């Protein structure tokens, strides 16, 4: 009777049978309508080596309404909110089609990691970082992959997330010298990182931001 | 095998015939019928073409009797996947397959094909080889349309096979071929199975719907989908669920919607579409008839700036009205009552130039037309300013502005014959107009003439007295 249940069960079974792709779908609890999907970070991107988990909620009118997805794993990406994991992707909204499946949608998320669209950002700060300095952005994304998604990290030695304290400066994608410069004025380190991140104090953009402006923000 | 006919083992022949028949029956059960007592066989073989083959119908050439339908041959192109069956009545001699089968008659259903049957008989006859069953080969020759090549009715155009049929009445045979094609297509569709990508189940064609874009879904999925969209007012999503079609926003047409949902839902769908169109179209003005209120868009093909931009004719009640003043249509020339245009103009001019609201009014009333109104207003304003500067008091009787070049201040209006004072605008008595200038105490006393220049001119020229 319940077409939604039948379809979801079929999709979960299909995904289980497919040993080829890295995409998996698991139950959270008894309900087949709340799931966790996961996939590998695409090769050749800063997300390579990470494993990304996605919270999946199947709406009542599935598949005629889009499935609700957001990242559980923190991702540094212009189209993913760095705070909430919310995703900006057309097929999750108006371009949804009932023909799309959980698996094909997860694969679309995987390819979203390959091709960021900073002009239509979910996270404006990350998008600014991406536009200002792509290489610095990639370093940060790689660092996040290492910390949150179990990626191999910058050195590629698989240090993983467990060992050592997190480097907040690298997390924010900032330059150590810049942070030190304002910290030396007597400001709290965390506050300096927060302000510099918000101001996108990176790469070529540094020249556009007056020291006074930074201090003003720090004093707020 | 190749011995004299009369030496044939008739029993062996009968067995070979029986075997051939059984094989044929298992492959093409729909094409055969047989009167076993008389040895007559009827083959009814439909012609199956490659998907959407081009078929043209031409008059002339084939039948000399049709020469009383003169006129240029009129090719009518059709795109078909099947042609009606060819009927073959065959008698098999007891000695077949050692002697050739006899074709009694050969003709096309609905006479869609008129041919010189000896040509086709010869062609089919040549396929027979002594001792070999030929019926299957014949069926294949016809089914595949190979015989059309033999009759020289085909030609290759841009690498695709096209078929030319000669028929004296193309207008008659065309709908016959089309409907035959449609019914075989429908039969084929309902017999096939399709994988519905929404419920991920394989479903018989009879329970599926093929949309105009060619995508097939099961009826119940489409029904659920469209019913939900119609219920929620999401009319833009009533279309093919395929991701490509969704991206292109290809919406279903009325025919498709009717095939899937109930009449009541079709009505709501149409209402939603009309509503959306109204909300989208900025040229829409509602019919001013109190009981009607139908949204009326600007008529298409009206040139920009044309006075007909204002004309709206309500499709519901037929009322023709002016989009500006909402009064009955007063023709392209007559201007609207001032109050109406003034309200529009005031609203328009109050908005900043280039603003979205201004653009909206421009699409509603026509940019050029509005610009004309603005120009007219500016012109009038300038004229009034000029009047106020240059002109004296207008006529107190009819407001006619007058410029006085010279003369006295006693004016008589050319339009309403009112007498008045040019200096103060007072109405003057028709019989004693000069009292106004000669009565002490009135402010215009002794001011019948007050232009200094005039007075100067009357000054005696210096040295006049000397002469």
């Amino acid at each position: 009777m319940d077409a939604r249940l039948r379809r979801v069960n079929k999709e979960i079974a299909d995904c289980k049978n497919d040993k080829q792709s890295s995409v998996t779908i698991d139950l959270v609890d008894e309900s087949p309508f709340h799931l966790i999907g996961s996939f590998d970070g695409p090769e050749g991107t800063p997300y390579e080596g990470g494993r990304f988990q996605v919270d999946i909620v199947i709406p009542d009118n599935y598949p005629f309404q889009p499935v609700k997805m957001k990242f559980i794993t923190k991702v540094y990406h212009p189209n993913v909110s760095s705070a909430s994991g919310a995703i900006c992707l057309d097929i999750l909204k108006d371009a949804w089609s009932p023909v799309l499946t959980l698996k094909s949608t997860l694969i679309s998320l995987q390819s979203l990691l390959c091709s960021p669209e900073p002009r239509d950002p979910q996270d404006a700060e990350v998008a600014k970082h991406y536009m200002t300095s792509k290489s610095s952005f990639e370093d940060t994304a790689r660092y996040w992959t290492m910390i949150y998604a179990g990626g191999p990290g910058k050195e590629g030695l698989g240090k993983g997330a467990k060992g050592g304290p997190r480097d907040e400066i690298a997390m924010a994608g900032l330059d150590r010298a810049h942070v030190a410069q304002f910290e030396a004025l007597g400001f709290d380190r965390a506050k300096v990182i927060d302000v510099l991140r918000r101001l996108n104090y990176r790469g070529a953009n540094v020249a556009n931001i007056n020291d006074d402006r930074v201090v003003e923000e720090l004093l707020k | 095998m190749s011995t004299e006919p009369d030496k044939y083992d008739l029993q062996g022949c009968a067995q070979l015939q029986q075997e051939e028949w059984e094989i044929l029956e298992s492959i093409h059960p729909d094409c055969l019928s047989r009167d076993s007592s008389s040895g007559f066989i009827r083959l009814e073989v439909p012609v199956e073409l490659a998907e959407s083959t081009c078929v043209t119908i031409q008059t002339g050439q084939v039948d000399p009797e049709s020469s009383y339908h003169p006129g240029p041959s009129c090719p009518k192109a059709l795109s078909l996947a099947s042609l009606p069956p060819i009927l073959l009545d065959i008698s098999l001699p007891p000695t077949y397959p050692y002697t050739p089968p006899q074709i009694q008659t050969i003709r096309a259903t609905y006479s869609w094909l008129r041919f010189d049957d000896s040509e086709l008989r010869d062609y089919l006859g040549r396929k027979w080889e002594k001792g070999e069953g030929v019926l299957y080969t014949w069926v294949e020759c016809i089914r595949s349309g190979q015989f059309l090549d033999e009759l020289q009715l085909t030609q290759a155009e841009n690498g695709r096979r096209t078929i030319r049929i000669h028929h004296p009445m193309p207008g008659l045979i065309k709908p016959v071929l089309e409907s035959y094609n449609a019914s075989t297509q429908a039969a084929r569709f309902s017999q096939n199975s399709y994988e519905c990508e929404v419920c991920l189940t394989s479903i018989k064609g009879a329970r599926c719907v093929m949309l105009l874009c060619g995508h097939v879904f099961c009826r119940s999925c489409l029904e659920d989908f469209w019913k939900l969209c119609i219920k929620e007012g999401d009319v833009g999503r009533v279309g093919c669920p395929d991701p490509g079609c969704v991206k292109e926003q290809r919406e279903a047409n009325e025919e498709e919607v009717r095939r899937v949902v109930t009449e009541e839902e079709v009505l709501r769908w149409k209402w939603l579409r009309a509503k959306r169109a109204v909300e989208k179209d900025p040229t829409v003005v509602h019919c001013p008839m109190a009981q009607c209120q139908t949204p009326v868009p600007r008529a298409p093909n009206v040139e920009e700036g044309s006075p007909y931009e204002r004309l709206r004719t309500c499709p519901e009640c037929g009322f023709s009205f002016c989009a500006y003043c909402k009064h009955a249509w007063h023709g392209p020339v007559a201007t609207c009552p001032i109050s109406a245009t003034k309200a529009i103009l005031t609203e328009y001019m109050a908005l900043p130039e280039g603003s979205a609201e201004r653009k909206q009014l421009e699409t509603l009333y026509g940019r050029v037309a509005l610009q004309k109104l603005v120009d007219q207003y500016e012109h009038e304003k300038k004229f009034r300013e000029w009047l106020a500067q240059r002109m004296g008091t207008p006529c107190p009787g009819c407001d006619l502005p007058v410029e006085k070049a010279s003369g006295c201040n006693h004016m008589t209006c050319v339009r309403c014959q009112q007498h008045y004072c040019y200096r103060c605008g007072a109405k003057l008595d028709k019989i004693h107009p000069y009292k106004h200038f000669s009565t002490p105490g009135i402010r215009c006393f002794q001011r019948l003439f007050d232009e200094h220049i005039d007075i100067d001119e009357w000054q005696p020229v210096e040295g006049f007295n000397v002469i």
Side-chain angles (χ1 to χ4, degrees):
Chain A
M1 178 220 138
D2 192 355
R4 173 175 79 133
L5 181 63
R6 240 181 297 140
R7 165 149 165 174
V8 172
N9 282 337
K10 211 165 240 174
E11 285 194 50
I12 295 172
D14 282 353
C15 212
K16 277 222 167 72
N17 293 333
D18 182 5
K19 306 281 183 237
Q20 296 282 305
S21 93
S22 79
V23 176
T24 58
I25 297 171
D26 299 296
L27 293 170
V28 174
D29 42 47
E30 299 294 291
S31 165
F33 303 126
H34 186 199
L35 306 162
I36 288 182
S38 36
F39 57 84
D40 289 341
E43 282 174 29
T45 70
Y47 311 98
E48 182 173 354
R51 180 94 185 148
F52 295 87
Q53 284 197 316
V54 177
D55 182 74
I56 302 172
V57 174
I58 314 274
D60 288 346
N61 289 318
Y62 184 80
F64 305 120
Q65 274 177 342
V67 62
K68 294 193 177 87
M69 288 194 179
K70 63 171 191 182
F71 276 100
I72 298 170
T73 312
K74 276 177 160 286
V75 187
Y76 199 74
H77 187 282
N79 306 110
V80 181
S81 162
S82 55
S84 67
I87 303 159
C88 178
L89 183 63
D90 60 350
I91 58 159
L92 291 176
K93 291 165 200 145
D94 45 346
W96 170 259
S97 145
V99 168
L100 296 171
T101 60
L102 299 177
K103 193 170 124 189
S104 65
T105 310
L106 287 169
I107 291 171
S108 295
L109 288 186
Q110 203 175 19
S111 63
L112 178 69
L113 294 187
C114 299
S115 45
E117 187 40 81
R119 272 159 301 176
D120 184 19
Q122 177 75 38
D123 194 308
E125 281 182 22
V126 179
K128 268 190 223 157
H129 190 186
Y130 181 91
M131 308 264 252
T132 312
S133 164
K134 201 166 169 207
S135 69
S136 160
F137 160 83
E138 285 180 349
D139 286 343
T140 310
R142 206 170 286 118
Y143 190 71
W144 279 49
T145 305
M146 179 183 94
I147 297 289
Y148 296 118
K154 201 173 179 179
E155 290 76 31
L157 294 172
K159 278 187 195 161
K162 286 101 199 167
R166 289 197 315 207
D167 182 345
E168 295 298 338
I169 297 173
M171 289 295 295
L174 294 169
D175 194 317
R176 232 160 273 286
H178 292 148
V179 177
Q181 179 196 336
F182 291 100
E183 220 182 335
L185 299 175
F187 290 105
D188 177 48
R189 185 191 183 98
K191 178 118 194 183
V192 172
I193 291 173
D194 183 50
V195 167
L196 293 185
R197 199 197 68 237
R198 272 194 288 116
L199 292 175
N200 191 24
Y201 201 83
R202 298 163 182 129
N205 203 32
V206 170
N208 301 331
I209 305 168
N210 194 304
D211 282 2
D212 290 344
R213 173 100 176 80
V214 180
V215 172
E216 196 183 301
E217 284 294 320
L218 283 165
L219 288 171
K220 267 186 191 168
Chain B
M1 264 203 267
S2 52
T3 31
E4 292 306 306
D6 45 83
K7 289 181 185 164
Y8 295 138
D9 167 12
L10 287 182
Q11 241 183 341
C13 285
Q15 199 182 336
L16 284 175
Q17 285 184 24
Q18 183 59 29
E19 277 170 16
E20 185 180 6
W21 182 259
E22 277 166 12
I23 292 167
L24 202 54
E25 203 169 32
S26 69
I27 301 171
H28 296 298
D30 302 331
C31 305
L32 317 173
S33 54
R34 166 162 85 160
D35 183 350
S36 48
S37 58
S38 61
F40 275 104
I41 286 178
R42 163 168 280 197
L43 299 180
E44 186 178 341
V45 191
V47 184
E48 289 167 20
L49 307 171
E51 199 64 38
S52 56
T53 300
C54 178
V55 177
T56 59
I57 309 167
Q58 291 165 313
T59 51
Q61 195 196 353
V62 122
D63 192 354
E65 285 168 31
S66 71
S67 59
Y68 61 83
H69 296 291
S73 64
C74 58
K76 303 213 171 189
L78 292 168
S79 173
L80 302 176
S82 59
L83 288 166
I86 300 293
L87 299 175
L88 281 174
D89 283 322
I90 302 158
S91 69
L92 296 181
T95 48
Y96 172 81
Y98 294 100
T99 51
Q102 301 299 316
I103 298 174
Q104 303 293 327
T105 58
I106 179 165
R107 63 187 185 85
T109 330
Y110 312 122
S111 307
W112 63 268
L113 187 62
R114 307 198 160 188
F115 46 79
D116 177 7
D117 67 350
S118 63
E119 207 178 324
L120 195 54
R121 270 171 213 266
D122 290 349
Y123 165 66
L124 294 176
R126 284 198 299 276
K127 298 274 172 195
W128 174 75
E129 279 176 42
K130 209 170 192 183
E132 300 285 339
V134 76
L135 297 181
Y136 178 76
T137 315
W138 284 2
V139 169
E140 278 308 299
C141 279
I142 294 169
R143 206 178 60 84
S144 66
Q146 207 184 319
F147 75 105
L148 294 167
D149 298 330
E150 185 64 24
L151 294 173
Q152 293 179 339
L153 293 174
T154 60
Q155 65 190 70
E157 234 167 64
N158 305 325
R160 293 190 61 184
R161 190 162 84 140
T162 60
I163 295 169
R164 277 175 301 117
I165 295 172
H166 298 285
H167 195 279
M169 306 286 273
L172 281 183
I173 198 66
K174 191 178 166 217
V176 172
L177 294 182
E178 277 173 329
S179 76
Y180 176 81
N181 183 60
S183 68
T184 49
Q185 289 280 80
R188 255 187 238 176
F189 178 76
S190 61
Q191 274 161 21
N192 285 351
S193 279
Y194 298 88
E195 172 83 15
C196 172
E197 286 191 86
V198 176
C199 56
L200 309 174
T201 326
S202 178
I203 295 192
K204 235 187 154 97
R207 285 168 52 211
C208 287
V209 174
M210 183 189 272
L211 298 171
L212 291 176
C213 51
H215 294 111
V216 178
F217 296 95
C218 84
R219 185 176 294 277
S220 82
C221 282
L222 263 190
E223 195 178 329
D224 287 349
F225 183 33
W226 288 359
K227 270 176 194 286
L228 179 76
C229 297
I230 292 171
K231 189 176 140 215
E232 296 191 338
D234 204 350
V235 66
R237 290 183 73 210
V238 179
C240 174
D242 179 80
C245 289
V246 169
K247 279 233 162 97
E248 280 171 31
Q249 300 181 317
R250 203 196 74 77
E251 289 181 21
N253 66 14
E254 189 174 336
E255 198 51 50
E256 291 172 305
V257 174
R258 266 187 200 289
R259 278 165 64 194
V260 174
V261 300
T262 64
E263 181 59 31
E264 200 182 326
E265 282 152 343
V266 171
L267 287 179
R268 181 170 154 78
W269 173 77
K270 287 172 88 169
W271 178 80
L272 284 167
R273 279 181 37 120
K275 181 164 164 283
R276 182 184 59 174
V278 170
E279 283 160 3
K280 251 191 207 164
D281 186 350
T283 72
V284 155
V285 173
H286 290 263
C287 172
M289 285 299 182
Q291 324 84 320
C292 181
Q293 298 289 313
T294 305
V296 190
R298 185 166 66 201
N301 309 325
V302 173
E303 211 174 294
E304 206 182 330
S306 141
Y308 286 101
E309 264 189 324
R310 298 181 308 205
L311 170 63
R312 299 283 193 283
T313 303
C314 174
E316 200 60 40
C317 70
F319 182 53
S320 288
F321 60 97
C322 168
Y324 281 25
C325 61
K326 313 281 188 314
H327 286 111
W329 178 237
H330 47 65
V333 182
T335 47
C336 303
I338 287 164
S339 56
T341 38
K342 204 174 168 190
I344 294 169
L345 189 66
T346 321
E347 189 190 352
Y348 181 70
M349 302 244 297
L351 295 164
E353 214 162 309
S355 67
E357 293 94 332
R358 217 173 189 186
K359 288 239 166 65
Q360 204 180 335
L361 286 179
E362 282 171 359
T363 28
L364 180 62
Y365 296 122
R367 196 182 56 80
V368 177
L370 275 174
Q371 195 50 52
K372 268 189 194 157
L373 275 186
V374 172
D375 290 348
Q376 205 180 325
Y377 172 83
E378 297 284 355
H379 190 253
E380 204 130 293
K381 198 172 133 194
K382 283 220 178 92
F383 179 61
R384 276 182 195 285
E385 279 167 10
W386 180 78
L387 274 184
Q389 236 176 42
R390 291 278 309 258
M391 304 267 163
T393 337
C395 164
C398 69
D399 235 16
L400 179 76
V402 175
E403 185 190 17
K404 186 163 73 79
S406 64
C408 70
N409 283 326
H410 165 223
M411 308 292 288
T412 309
C413 177
V414 287
R415 192 154 71 181
C416 67
Q417 277 76 49
Q418 173 75 46
H419 294 255
Y420 67 99
C421 169
Y422 188 71
R423 288 190 76 244
C424 69
K427 292 183 177 179
L428 303 182
D429 181 62
K430 195 161 66 176
I431 301 163
H432 305 290
Y434 295 103
K435 264 190 181 171
H436 183 70
F437 303 100
S438 57
T439 312
I442 297 177
R443 54 201 161 141
C444 296
F445 175 58
Q446 290 188 335
R447 307 300 291 267
L448 183 61
F449 294 94
D450 57 1
E451 282 141 88
H452 306 293
I453 302 158
D454 286 0
I455 293 161
D456 289 347
E457 272 175 6
W458 282 102
Q459 290 294 316
V461 182
E462 226 168 297
F464 178 79
N465 290 339
V466 180
I467 298 165

